[in-house]
Amino acid sequence: MSHKAGFVNIIGNPNVGKSTLMNAFVGERLSIITSKAQTTRHRILGIVNGEDFQLILSDTPGIIKPAYEMQESMMNFVKSAFEDADILVYMVEIGEQDLKDEAFFNKIIHAKIPVLLLLNKIDNSNQEQLEEQVGFWTAKVPNAEIFPISALQNFNVPEVFSRIIELLPESPAYYPKDQLTDKPERFFVNETIREKILLNYSKEIPYAVEIVTEEFFEDEKIIRIRSVIMVERETQKGIIIGHKGAALKKVGTDARADLEKFFGKQIHIELYVKVNKNWRSNANMLKRFGYNQ
């Protein structure tokens, strides 16, 4: 029996549902999901294995005009998604008209590989609007196969998955068949904590935060974690901690609940907050946090 394998890279504007789609395909919650822009900062691989295929999905940050060095690095992850893709998945949502970067859009319409354009969140539209949008994108991206979907409701997602498998090139597996992702455990600890900060704090706070897991000790029944929440200013540190530590405690409690589901073990987590001034514009710090690779 022949074996198929390939890289399927998901790109699009912020908040169009890229992470929701990837998690639906993988069957695990690898990418964090919130309603806020720039939730995904890294390029995350999710690996789906079948008897005769291996699908390597790549969730990328939403396409934006970079305002500081960390965002430049985030867009480099998106650029790299064009370089190794066997299939490109371009996600848009109902009512959307263009990518925020014309150069990326030109790459999509001139791609030499299969392009699937997924028109997401159709549960928020009516038939007339849907037909208008399909017509618009058919003219805009003539090289793409268009699939109306709802990633959240799993509508048409199995059909897209089947089409991707059909389009995969013949190849041996790139990763061991029992591997789910290319990221280590600490990465998912960091992302889970960051998600809870995105959900529990407003304004600039979530975007000024980075997480570093300094200790991850796993026993048979329990995982002991020590993580540092990095902020840029003393005022942000106070907000993260909250009155009598209540806000920080809630982040820890919420993160622990999700991590226990993810790892299938009891979690003991300790959180600390440190100030690291202007880390988002510091090349050495960004490299340490895995942005400049």
Side-chain angles (χ1 to χ4, degrees), residues 94-145:
I94 287 287
E96 191 177 328
Q97 299 295 316
D98 277 314
L99 270 177
K100 290 184 169 63
D101 190 307
E102 199 62 34
F104 281 119
F105 193 76
N106 283 328
K107 284 188 175 185
I108 292 167
I109 60 178
H110 293 106
K112 304 297 184 189
I113 56 174
V115 177
L116 304 185
L117 190 149
L118 307 188
L119 183 54
N120 192 27
K121 306 184 184 180
I122 64 167
D123 42 323
N124 295 333
S125 70
N126 55 42
Q127 188 64 30
E128 183 182 351
Q129 186 183 19
L130 177 58
E131 289 175 4
E132 183 273 326
Q133 287 275 285
V134 169
F136 173 85
W137 287 110
T138 299
K140 193 86 173 169
V141 193
N143 58 316
E145 291 183 50

Side-chain angles (χ1 to χ4, degrees), residues 16-280:
V16 294
K18 298 183 296 296
S19 297
T20 304
L21 179 74
M22 166 133 147
N23 291 342
F25 280 159
V26 176
E28 292 279 349
R29 207 156 170 275
L30 296 183
S31 292
I32 66 173
I33 301 166
T34 77
S35 60
K36 296 182 179 179
Q38 300 173 45
T39 299
T40 301
R41 288 180 177 174
H42 297 264
R43 187 177 171 195
I44 303 164
L45 296 190
I47 303 165
V48 185
N49 291 294
E51 190 176 336
D52 59 350
F53 72 86
Q54 183 176 79
L55 173 59
I56 303 145
L57 292 151
S58 176
D59 183 19
T60 59
I63 295 169
I64 55 173
K65 293 282 189 185
Y68 43 85
E69 192 155 347
M70 186 187 81
Q71 290 184 343
E72 292 276 4
S73 178
M74 287 163 60
M75 290 307 95
N76 286 336
F77 288 127
V78 180
K79 289 174 186 174
S80 71
F82 284 94
E83 293 166 6
D84 61 11
D86 294 297
I87 301 165
L88 197 62
V89 172
Y90 172 31
M91 285 193 76
V92 299
E93 63 179 324
I94 287 287
E96 191 177 328
Q97 299 295 316
D98 277 314
L99 270 177
K100 290 184 169 63
D101 190 307
E102 199 62 34
F104 281 119
F105 193 76
N106 283 328
K107 284 188 175 185
I108 292 167
I109 60 178
H110 293 106
K112 304 297 184 189
I113 56 174
V115 177
L116 304 185
L117 190 149
L118 307 188
L119 183 54
N120 192 27
K121 306 184 184 180
I122 64 167
D123 42 323
N124 295 333
S125 70
N126 55 42
Q127 188 64 30
E128 183 182 351
Q129 186 183 19
L130 177 58
E131 289 175 4
E132 183 273 326
Q133 287 275 285
V134 169
F136 173 85
W137 287 110
T138 299
K140 193 86 173 169
V141 193
N143 58 316
E145 291 183 50
I146 296 179
F147 289 82
I149 71 163
S150 171
L152 194 61
Q153 304 297 330
N154 207 39
F155 175 77
N156 235 10
V157 171
E159 288 76 9
V160 174
F161 186 85
S162 296
R163 182 58 179 145
I164 288 172
I165 299 302
E166 287 176 9
L167 291 169
L168 283 179
E170 288 198 7
S171 169
Y174 290 92
Y175 292 90
K177 281 290 193 129
D178 59 352
Q179 191 166 334
L180 184 67
T181 181
D182 65 326
K183 297 295 185 186
E185 289 97 337
R186 292 182 190 219
F187 176 84
F188 295 103
V189 173
N190 297 345
E191 288 290 272
T192 301
I193 296 167
R194 192 166 66 82
E195 179 190 51
K196 303 313 170 191
I197 291 170
L198 277 159
L199 293 171
N200 284 293
Y201 301 86
S202 60
K203 298 180 182 176
E204 175 65 11
I205 292 295
Y207 304 104
V209 161
E210 185 59 56
I211 316 300
V212 179
T213 294
E214 296 185 337
E215 294 179 4
F216 184 99
F217 297 121
E218 185 170 5
D219 293 331
E220 189 177 339
K221 293 183 179 178
I222 190 170
I223 300 173
R224 302 181 189 279
I225 296 166
R226 183 183 188 277
S227 299
V228 174
I229 300 169
M230 206 79 71
V231 295
E232 292 190 309
R233 298 193 297 274
E234 285 291 341
T235 51
Q236 294 165 347
K237 179 178 178 179
I239 294 169
I240 289 285
I241 293 171
H243 181 62
K244 295 185 177 179
L248 184 62
K249 184 177 180 181
K250 185 175 190 318
V251 169
T253 300
D254 292 352
R256 186 181 72 238
D258 276 9
L259 290 169
E260 286 183 341
K261 290 177 190 172
F262 187 82
F263 290 109
K265 288 187 177 184
Q266 184 182 343
I267 299 288
H268 174 78
I269 188 166
E270 295 179 13
L271 296 179
Y272 300 86
V273 187
K274 290 183 180 178
V275 177
N276 193 321
K277 290 184 179 179
N278 301 319
W279 68 264
R280 287 182 293 178

